[in-house]
Amino acid sequence: MTNLQNYWKRNVRYLLILLSIWFIVSYGFGVLFADTLNSIQLGGFKLGFWFAQQGSIYVFVILIFVYVWLMNKLDKEFDVDEK
């Protein structure tokens, strides 16, 4: 495999992992496991409700920063970073 193929393979793997985390948090915690999580309170709100309304958005923003950090590291490793 060429260097760029390895680069894109790793990039796609990062995307799949991060999107899976987002799916689990937004759909899993906000919909599927909401009834179970609602037994826990966070700031006066049920945790399932909080994940459905706020938590998935916060996690998505954090995942954006994680992706930027991972890609900057990957770009430097494969010498395709902006100089």
Side-chain angles (χ1 to χ4, degrees), residues 42-63:
L42 179 68
F45 297 99
K46 295 178 180 180
L47 190 58
F49 173 79
W50 185 84
F51 268 113
Q53 300 301 313
Q54 300 294 323
S56 61
I57 296 168
Y58 291 146
V59 170
F60 182 68
V61 171
I62 291 168
L63 290 176

mmCIF file with all atom_site columns, all heavy atoms in Angstrom, residues 42-63:
data_model
loop_
_atom_site.group_PDB
_atom_site.id
_atom_site.type_symbol
_atom_site.label_atom_id
_atom_site.label_alt_id
_atom_site.label_comp_id
_atom_site.label_asym_id
_atom_site.label_entity_id
_atom_site.label_seq_id
_atom_site.pdbx_PDB_ins_code
_atom_site.Cartn_x
_atom_site.Cartn_y
_atom_site.Cartn_z
_atom_site.occupancy
_atom_site.B_iso_or_equiv
_atom_site.pdbx_formal_charge
_atom_site.auth_seq_id
_atom_site.auth_comp_id
_atom_site.auth_asym_id
_atom_site.auth_atom_id
_atom_site.pdbx_PDB_model_num
ATOM 1   N N   . LEU A 1 42 ? -29.306 15.259 36.502 1.00 0.00 ? 42 LEU A N   1
ATOM 2   C CA  . LEU A 1 42 ? -28.148 16.103 36.202 1.00 0.00 ? 42 LEU A CA  1
ATOM 3   C C   . LEU A 1 42 ? -28.631 17.539 36.111 1.00 0.00 ? 42 LEU A C   1
ATOM 4   O O   . LEU A 1 42 ? -29.355 17.894 35.181 1.00 0.00 ? 42 LEU A O   1
ATOM 5   C CB  . LEU A 1 42 ? -27.482 15.666 34.893 1.00 0.00 ? 42 LEU A CB  1
ATOM 6   C CG  . LEU A 1 42 ? -26.273 16.482 34.444 1.00 0.00 ? 42 LEU A CG  1
ATOM 7   C CD1 . LEU A 1 42 ? -25.107 16.248 35.403 1.00 0.00 ? 42 LEU A CD1 1
ATOM 8   C CD2 . LEU A 1 42 ? -25.863 16.114 33.043 1.00 0.00 ? 42 LEU A CD2 1
ATOM 9   N N   . GLY A 1 43 ? -28.258 18.338 37.076 1.00 0.00 ? 43 GLY A N   1
ATOM 10  C CA  . GLY A 1 43 ? -28.682 19.733 37.081 1.00 0.00 ? 43 GLY A CA  1
ATOM 11  C C   . GLY A 1 43 ? -30.193 19.893 37.182 1.00 0.00 ? 43 GLY A C   1
ATOM 12  O O   . GLY A 1 43 ? -30.750 20.828 36.627 1.00 0.00 ? 43 GLY A O   1
ATOM 13  N N   . GLY A 1 44 ? -30.852 18.976 37.840 1.00 0.00 ? 44 GLY A N   1
ATOM 14  C CA  . GLY A 1 44 ? -32.291 19.050 37.993 1.00 0.00 ? 44 GLY A CA  1
ATOM 15  C C   . GLY A 1 44 ? -33.072 18.413 36.859 1.00 0.00 ? 44 GLY A C   1
ATOM 16  O O   . GLY A 1 44 ? -34.299 18.407 36.878 1.00 0.00 ? 44 GLY A O   1
ATOM 17  N N   . PHE A 1 45 ? -32.387 17.909 35.858 1.00 0.00 ? 45 PHE A N   1
ATOM 18  C CA  . PHE A 1 45 ? -33.042 17.273 34.710 1.00 0.00 ? 45 PHE A CA  1
ATOM 19  C C   . PHE A 1 45 ? -32.707 15.788 34.683 1.00 0.00 ? 45 PHE A C   1
ATOM 20  O O   . PHE A 1 45 ? -31.632 15.388 35.098 1.00 0.00 ? 45 PHE A O   1
ATOM 21  C CB  . PHE A 1 45 ? -32.594 17.918 33.387 1.00 0.00 ? 45 PHE A CB  1
ATOM 22  C CG  . PHE A 1 45 ? -32.971 19.358 33.268 1.00 0.00 ? 45 PHE A CG  1
ATOM 23  C CD1 . PHE A 1 45 ? -32.055 20.352 33.528 1.00 0.00 ? 45 PHE A CD1 1
ATOM 24  C CD2 . PHE A 1 45 ? -34.251 19.711 32.888 1.00 0.00 ? 45 PHE A CD2 1
ATOM 25  C CE1 . PHE A 1 45 ? -32.402 21.687 33.418 1.00 0.00 ? 45 PHE A CE1 1
ATOM 26  C CE2 . PHE A 1 45 ? -34.617 21.034 32.779 1.00 0.00 ? 45 PHE A CE2 1
ATOM 27  C CZ  . PHE A 1 45 ? -33.690 22.030 33.047 1.00 0.00 ? 45 PHE A CZ  1
ATOM 28  N N   . LYS A 1 46 ? -33.601 15.007 34.152 1.00 0.00 ? 46 LYS A N   1
ATOM 29  C CA  . LYS A 1 46 ? -33.339 13.578 33.991 1.00 0.00 ? 46 LYS A CA  1
ATOM 30  C C   . LYS A 1 46 ? -32.236 13.403 32.956 1.00 0.00 ? 46 LYS A C   1
ATOM 31  O O   . LYS A 1 46 ? -32.189 14.116 31.951 1.00 0.00 ? 46 LYS A O   1
ATOM 32  C CB  . LYS A 1 46 ? -34.607 12.861 33.563 1.00 0.00 ? 46 LYS A CB  1
ATOM 33  C CG  . LYS A 1 46 ? -35.688 12.905 34.614 1.00 0.00 ? 46 LYS A CG  1
ATOM 34  C CD  . LYS A 1 46 ? -36.941 12.228 34.139 1.00 0.00 ? 46 LYS A CD  1
ATOM 35  C CE  . LYS A 1 46 ? -38.003 12.293 35.216 1.00 0.00 ? 46 LYS A CE  1
ATOM 36  N NZ  . LYS A 1 46 ? -39.244 11.654 34.813 1.00 0.00 ? 46 LYS A NZ  1
ATOM 37  N N   . LEU A 1 47 ? -31.332 12.474 33.207 1.00 0.00 ? 47 LEU A N   1
ATOM 38  C CA  . LEU A 1 47 ? -30.148 12.318 32.366 1.00 0.00 ? 47 LEU A CA  1
ATOM 39  C C   . LEU A 1 47 ? -30.499 11.913 30.933 1.00 0.00 ? 47 LEU A C   1
ATOM 40  O O   . LEU A 1 47 ? -29.878 12.392 29.987 1.00 0.00 ? 47 LEU A O   1
ATOM 41  C CB  . LEU A 1 47 ? -29.186 11.295 32.984 1.00 0.00 ? 47 LEU A CB  1
ATOM 42  C CG  . LEU A 1 47 ? -27.807 11.201 32.355 1.00 0.00 ? 47 LEU A CG  1
ATOM 43  C CD1 . LEU A 1 47 ? -27.096 12.541 32.403 1.00 0.00 ? 47 LEU A CD1 1
ATOM 44  C CD2 . LEU A 1 47 ? -26.980 10.146 33.056 1.00 0.00 ? 47 LEU A CD2 1
ATOM 45  N N   . GLY A 1 48 ? -31.508 11.075 30.735 1.00 0.00 ? 48 GLY A N   1
ATOM 46  C CA  . GLY A 1 48 ? -31.922 10.710 29.380 1.00 0.00 ? 48 GLY A CA  1
ATOM 47  C C   . GLY A 1 48 ? -32.413 11.916 28.611 1.00 0.00 ? 48 GLY A C   1
ATOM 48  O O   . GLY A 1 48 ? -32.093 12.110 27.431 1.00 0.00 ? 48 GLY A O   1
ATOM 49  N N   . PHE A 1 49 ? -33.200 12.760 29.271 1.00 0.00 ? 49 PHE A N   1
ATOM 50  C CA  . PHE A 1 49 ? -33.672 13.995 28.644 1.00 0.00 ? 49 PHE A CA  1
ATOM 51  C C   . PHE A 1 49 ? -32.502 14.917 28.325 1.00 0.00 ? 49 PHE A C   1
ATOM 52  O O   . PHE A 1 49 ? -32.434 15.515 27.258 1.00 0.00 ? 49 PHE A O   1
ATOM 53  C CB  . PHE A 1 49 ? -34.669 14.702 29.577 1.00 0.00 ? 49 PHE A CB  1
ATOM 54  C CG  . PHE A 1 49 ? -35.089 16.054 29.105 1.00 0.00 ? 49 PHE A CG  1
ATOM 55  C CD1 . PHE A 1 49 ? -36.043 16.199 28.110 1.00 0.00 ? 49 PHE A CD1 1
ATOM 56  C CD2 . PHE A 1 49 ? -34.532 17.198 29.654 1.00 0.00 ? 49 PHE A CD2 1
ATOM 57  C CE1 . PHE A 1 49 ? -36.429 17.439 27.670 1.00 0.00 ? 49 PHE A CE1 1
ATOM 58  C CE2 . PHE A 1 49 ? -34.907 18.449 29.222 1.00 0.00 ? 49 PHE A CE2 1
ATOM 59  C CZ  . PHE A 1 49 ? -35.856 18.581 28.227 1.00 0.00 ? 49 PHE A CZ  1
ATOM 60  N N   . TRP A 1 50 ? -31.553 15.024 29.273 1.00 0.00 ? 50 TRP A N   1
ATOM 61  C CA  . TRP A 1 50 ? -30.404 15.903 29.070 1.00 0.00 ? 50 TRP A CA  1
ATOM 62  C C   . TRP A 1 50 ? -29.583 15.463 27.866 1.00 0.00 ? 50 TRP A C   1
ATOM 63  O O   . TRP A 1 50 ? -29.176 16.295 27.054 1.00 0.00 ? 50 TRP A O   1
ATOM 64  C CB  . TRP A 1 50 ? -29.534 15.914 30.329 1.00 0.00 ? 50 TRP A CB  1
ATOM 65  C CG  . TRP A 1 50 ? -28.402 16.881 30.225 1.00 0.00 ? 50 TRP A CG  1
ATOM 66  C CD1 . TRP A 1 50 ? -28.427 18.216 30.477 1.00 0.00 ? 50 TRP A CD1 1
ATOM 67  C CD2 . TRP A 1 50 ? -27.062 16.590 29.800 1.00 0.00 ? 50 TRP A CD2 1
ATOM 68  N NE1 . TRP A 1 50 ? -27.199 18.780 30.245 1.00 0.00 ? 50 TRP A NE1 1
ATOM 69  C CE2 . TRP A 1 50 ? -26.342 17.797 29.825 1.00 0.00 ? 50 TRP A CE2 1
ATOM 70  C CE3 . TRP A 1 50 ? -26.414 15.429 29.410 1.00 0.00 ? 50 TRP A CE3 1
ATOM 71  C CZ2 . TRP A 1 50 ? -25.003 17.872 29.478 1.00 0.00 ? 50 TRP A CZ2 1
ATOM 72  C CZ3 . TRP A 1 50 ? -25.073 15.504 29.062 1.00 0.00 ? 50 TRP A CZ3 1
ATOM 73  C CH2 . TRP A 1 50 ? -24.385 16.717 29.102 1.00 0.00 ? 50 TRP A CH2 1
ATOM 74  N N   . PHE A 1 51 ? -29.344 14.152 27.719 1.00 0.00 ? 51 PHE A N   1
ATOM 75  C CA  . PHE A 1 51 ? -28.588 13.668 26.565 1.00 0.00 ? 51 PHE A CA  1
ATOM 76  C C   . PHE A 1 51 ? -29.331 13.948 25.270 1.00 0.00 ? 51 PHE A C   1
ATOM 77  O O   . PHE A 1 51 ? -28.724 14.311 24.262 1.00 0.00 ? 51 PHE A O   1
ATOM 78  C CB  . PHE A 1 51 ? -28.284 12.175 26.679 1.00 0.00 ? 51 PHE A CB  1
ATOM 79  C CG  . PHE A 1 51 ? -26.964 11.881 27.318 1.00 0.00 ? 51 PHE A CG  1
ATOM 80  C CD1 . PHE A 1 51 ? -26.906 11.271 28.560 1.00 0.00 ? 51 PHE A CD1 1
ATOM 81  C CD2 . PHE A 1 51 ? -25.782 12.210 26.693 1.00 0.00 ? 51 PHE A CD2 1
ATOM 82  C CE1 . PHE A 1 51 ? -25.689 11.002 29.155 1.00 0.00 ? 51 PHE A CE1 1
ATOM 83  C CE2 . PHE A 1 51 ? -24.557 11.946 27.278 1.00 0.00 ? 51 PHE A CE2 1
ATOM 84  C CZ  . PHE A 1 51 ? -24.516 11.342 28.515 1.00 0.00 ? 51 PHE A CZ  1
ATOM 85  N N   . ALA A 1 52 ? -30.642 13.790 25.287 1.00 0.00 ? 52 ALA A N   1
ATOM 86  C CA  . ALA A 1 52 ? -31.422 14.030 24.071 1.00 0.00 ? 52 ALA A CA  1
ATOM 87  C C   . ALA A 1 52 ? -31.401 15.506 23.693 1.00 0.00 ? 52 ALA A C   1
ATOM 88  O O   . ALA A 1 52 ? -31.387 15.845 22.503 1.00 0.00 ? 52 ALA A O   1
ATOM 89  C CB  . ALA A 1 52 ? -32.853 13.554 24.274 1.00 0.00 ? 52 ALA A CB  1
ATOM 90  N N   . GLN A 1 53 ? -31.405 16.399 24.675 1.00 0.00 ? 53 GLN A N   1
ATOM 91  C CA  . GLN A 1 53 ? -31.500 17.827 24.401 1.00 0.00 ? 53 GLN A CA  1
ATOM 92  C C   . GLN A 1 53 ? -30.151 18.531 24.308 1.00 0.00 ? 53 GLN A C   1
ATOM 93  O O   . GLN A 1 53 ? -29.972 19.409 23.468 1.00 0.00 ? 53 GLN A O   1
ATOM 94  C CB  . GLN A 1 53 ? -32.356 18.514 25.475 1.00 0.00 ? 53 GLN A CB  1
ATOM 95  C CG  . GLN A 1 53 ? -33.759 17.983 25.545 1.00 0.00 ? 53 GLN A CG  1
ATOM 96  C CD  . GLN A 1 53 ? -34.488 18.137 24.224 1.00 0.00 ? 53 GLN A CD  1
ATOM 97  O OE1 . GLN A 1 53 ? -34.454 19.202 23.624 1.00 0.00 ? 53 GLN A OE1 1
ATOM 98  N NE2 . GLN A 1 53 ? -35.124 17.087 23.773 1.00 0.00 ? 53 GLN A NE2 1
ATOM 99  N N   . GLN A 1 54 ? -29.214 18.193 25.183 1.00 0.00 ? 54 GLN A N   1
ATOM 100 C CA  . GLN A 1 54 ? -27.948 18.920 25.262 1.00 0.00 ? 54 GLN A CA  1
ATOM 101 C C   . GLN A 1 54 ? -26.715 18.044 25.101 1.00 0.00 ? 54 GLN A C   1
ATOM 102 O O   . GLN A 1 54 ? -25.768 18.428 24.432 1.00 0.00 ? 54 GLN A O   1
ATOM 103 C CB  . GLN A 1 54 ? -27.847 19.638 26.623 1.00 0.00 ? 54 GLN A CB  1
ATOM 104 C CG  . GLN A 1 54 ? -28.928 20.643 26.884 1.00 0.00 ? 54 GLN A CG  1
ATOM 105 C CD  . GLN A 1 54 ? -28.858 21.829 25.959 1.00 0.00 ? 54 GLN A CD  1
ATOM 106 O OE1 . GLN A 1 54 ? -27.780 22.270 25.618 1.00 0.00 ? 54 GLN A OE1 1
ATOM 107 N NE2 . GLN A 1 54 ? -30.000 22.329 25.547 1.00 0.00 ? 54 GLN A NE2 1
ATOM 108 N N   . GLY A 1 55 ? -26.730 16.889 25.728 1.00 0.00 ? 55 GLY A N   1
ATOM 109 C CA  . GLY A 1 55 ? -25.538 16.053 25.805 1.00 0.00 ? 55 GLY A CA  1
ATOM 110 C C   . GLY A 1 55 ? -24.974 15.645 24.464 1.00 0.00 ? 55 GLY A C   1
ATOM 111 O O   . GLY A 1 55 ? -23.765 15.685 24.242 1.00 0.00 ? 55 GLY A O   1
ATOM 112 N N   . SER A 1 56 ? -25.841 15.269 23.542 1.00 0.00 ? 56 SER A N   1
ATOM 113 C CA  . SER A 1 56 ? -25.348 14.837 22.233 1.00 0.00 ? 56 SER A CA  1
ATOM 114 C C   . SER A 1 56 ? -24.709 15.998 21.473 1.00 0.00 ? 56 SER A C   1
ATOM 115 O O   . SER A 1 56 ? -23.753 15.796 20.723 1.00 0.00 ? 56 SER A O   1
ATOM 116 C CB  . SER A 1 56 ? -26.469 14.204 21.414 1.00 0.00 ? 56 SER A CB  1
ATOM 117 O OG  . SER A 1 56 ? -27.505 15.115 21.183 1.00 0.00 ? 56 SER A OG  1
ATOM 118 N N   . ILE A 1 57 ? -25.204 17.211 21.690 1.00 0.00 ? 57 ILE A N   1
ATOM 119 C CA  . ILE A 1 57 ? -24.605 18.381 21.037 1.00 0.00 ? 57 ILE A CA  1
ATOM 120 C C   . ILE A 1 57 ? -23.221 18.646 21.619 1.00 0.00 ? 57 ILE A C   1
ATOM 121 O O   . ILE A 1 57 ? -22.263 18.896 20.871 1.00 0.00 ? 57 ILE A O   1
ATOM 122 C CB  . ILE A 1 57 ? -25.515 19.610 21.197 1.00 0.00 ? 57 ILE A CB  1
ATOM 123 C CG1 . ILE A 1 57 ? -26.838 19.363 20.484 1.00 0.00 ? 57 ILE A CG1 1
ATOM 124 C CG2 . ILE A 1 57 ? -24.837 20.861 20.659 1.00 0.00 ? 57 ILE A CG2 1
ATOM 125 C CD1 . ILE A 1 57 ? -27.906 20.376 20.801 1.00 0.00 ? 57 ILE A CD1 1
ATOM 126 N N   . TYR A 1 58 ? -23.095 18.589 22.946 1.00 0.00 ? 58 TYR A N   1
ATOM 127 C CA  . TYR A 1 58 ? -21.790 18.785 23.582 1.00 0.00 ? 58 TYR A CA  1
ATOM 128 C C   . TYR A 1 58 ? -20.790 17.732 23.132 1.00 0.00 ? 58 TYR A C   1
ATOM 129 O O   . TYR A 1 58 ? -19.639 18.036 22.821 1.00 0.00 ? 58 TYR A O   1
ATOM 130 C CB  . TYR A 1 58 ? -21.907 18.756 25.106 1.00 0.00 ? 58 TYR A CB  1
ATOM 131 C CG  . TYR A 1 58 ? -22.634 19.938 25.704 1.00 0.00 ? 58 TYR A CG  1
ATOM 132 C CD1 . TYR A 1 58 ? -23.408 19.775 26.841 1.00 0.00 ? 58 TYR A CD1 1
ATOM 133 C CD2 . TYR A 1 58 ? -22.547 21.205 25.153 1.00 0.00 ? 58 TYR A CD2 1
ATOM 134 C CE1 . TYR A 1 58 ? -24.079 20.845 27.407 1.00 0.00 ? 58 TYR A CE1 1
ATOM 135 C CE2 . TYR A 1 58 ? -23.218 22.274 25.701 1.00 0.00 ? 58 TYR A CE2 1
ATOM 136 C CZ  . TYR A 1 58 ? -23.983 22.100 26.830 1.00 0.00 ? 58 TYR A CZ  1
ATOM 137 O OH  . TYR A 1 58 ? -24.638 23.152 27.394 1.00 0.00 ? 58 TYR A OH  1
ATOM 138 N N   . VAL A 1 59 ? -21.231 16.490 23.090 1.00 0.00 ? 59 VAL A N   1
ATOM 139 C CA  . VAL A 1 59 ? -20.345 15.408 22.642 1.00 0.00 ? 59 VAL A CA  1
ATOM 140 C C   . VAL A 1 59 ? -19.931 15.624 21.198 1.00 0.00 ? 59 VAL A C   1
ATOM 141 O O   . VAL A 1 59 ? -18.766 15.432 20.834 1.00 0.00 ? 59 VAL A O   1
ATOM 142 C CB  . VAL A 1 59 ? -21.016 14.035 22.846 1.00 0.00 ? 59 VAL A CB  1
ATOM 143 C CG1 . VAL A 1 59 ? -20.219 12.931 22.168 1.00 0.00 ? 59 VAL A CG1 1
ATOM 144 C CG2 . VAL A 1 59 ? -21.173 13.730 24.320 1.00 0.00 ? 59 VAL A CG2 1
ATOM 145 N N   . PHE A 1 60 ? -20.858 16.060 20.340 1.00 0.00 ? 60 PHE A N   1
ATOM 146 C CA  . PHE A 1 60 ? -20.527 16.318 18.940 1.00 0.00 ? 60 PHE A CA  1
ATOM 147 C C   . PHE A 1 60 ? -19.457 17.403 18.822 1.00 0.00 ? 60 PHE A C   1
ATOM 148 O O   . PHE A 1 60 ? -18.496 17.252 18.062 1.00 0.00 ? 60 PHE A O   1
ATOM 149 C CB  . PHE A 1 60 ? -21.780 16.716 18.168 1.00 0.00 ? 60 PHE A CB  1
ATOM 150 C CG  . PHE A 1 60 ? -21.538 16.965 16.709 1.00 0.00 ? 60 PHE A CG  1
ATOM 151 C CD1 . PHE A 1 60 ? -21.195 15.925 15.856 1.00 0.00 ? 60 PHE A CD1 1
ATOM 152 C CD2 . PHE A 1 60 ? -21.635 18.232 16.185 1.00 0.00 ? 60 PHE A CD2 1
ATOM 153 C CE1 . PHE A 1 60 ? -20.959 16.142 14.513 1.00 0.00 ? 60 PHE A CE1 1
ATOM 154 C CE2 . PHE A 1 60 ? -21.405 18.464 14.830 1.00 0.00 ? 60 PHE A CE2 1
ATOM 155 C CZ  . PHE A 1 60 ? -21.070 17.418 14.010 1.00 0.00 ? 60 PHE A CZ  1
ATOM 156 N N   . VAL A 1 61 ? -19.584 18.474 19.577 1.00 0.00 ? 61 VAL A N   1
ATOM 157 C CA  . VAL A 1 61 ? -18.589 19.559 19.528 1.00 0.00 ? 61 VAL A CA  1
ATOM 158 C C   . VAL A 1 61 ? -17.237 19.058 20.028 1.00 0.00 ? 61 VAL A C   1
ATOM 159 O O   . VAL A 1 61 ? -16.196 19.349 19.429 1.00 0.00 ? 61 VAL A O   1
ATOM 160 C CB  . VAL A 1 61 ? -19.076 20.781 20.338 1.00 0.00 ? 61 VAL A CB  1
ATOM 161 C CG1 . VAL A 1 61 ? -17.975 21.817 20.489 1.00 0.00 ? 61 VAL A CG1 1
ATOM 162 C CG2 . VAL A 1 61 ? -20.302 21.401 19.669 1.00 0.00 ? 61 VAL A CG2 1
ATOM 163 N N   . ILE A 1 62 ? -17.242 18.267 21.091 1.00 0.00 ? 62 ILE A N   1
ATOM 164 C CA  . ILE A 1 62 ? -15.987 17.694 21.594 1.00 0.00 ? 62 ILE A CA  1
ATOM 165 C C   . ILE A 1 62 ? -15.360 16.777 20.550 1.00 0.00 ? 62 ILE A C   1
ATOM 166 O O   . ILE A 1 62 ? -14.141 16.808 20.328 1.00 0.00 ? 62 ILE A O   1
ATOM 167 C CB  . ILE A 1 62 ? -16.234 16.946 22.923 1.00 0.00 ? 62 ILE A CB  1
ATOM 168 C CG1 . ILE A 1 62 ? -16.567 17.941 24.021 1.00 0.00 ? 62 ILE A CG1 1
ATOM 169 C CG2 . ILE A 1 62 ? -15.038 16.088 23.307 1.00 0.00 ? 62 ILE A CG2 1
ATOM 170 C CD1 . ILE A 1 62 ? -17.106 17.309 25.288 1.00 0.00 ? 62 ILE A CD1 1
ATOM 171 N N   . LEU A 1 63 ? -16.193 15.980 19.871 1.00 0.00 ? 63 LEU A N   1
ATOM 172 C CA  . LEU A 1 63 ? -15.675 15.079 18.834 1.00 0.00 ? 63 LEU A CA  1
ATOM 173 C C   . LEU A 1 63 ? -15.074 15.854 17.654 1.00 0.00 ? 63 LEU A C   1
ATOM 174 O O   . LEU A 1 63 ? -14.118 15.376 17.031 1.00 0.00 ? 63 LEU A O   1
ATOM 175 C CB  . LEU A 1 63 ? -16.769 14.132 18.352 1.00 0.00 ? 63 LEU A CB  1
ATOM 176 C CG  . LEU A 1 63 ? -17.209 13.066 19.352 1.00 0.00 ? 63 LEU A CG  1
ATOM 177 C CD1 . LEU A 1 63 ? -18.360 12.247 18.781 1.00 0.00 ? 63 LEU A CD1 1
ATOM 178 C CD2 . LEU A 1 63 ? -16.064 12.173 19.757 1.00 0.00 ? 63 LEU A CD2 1
#
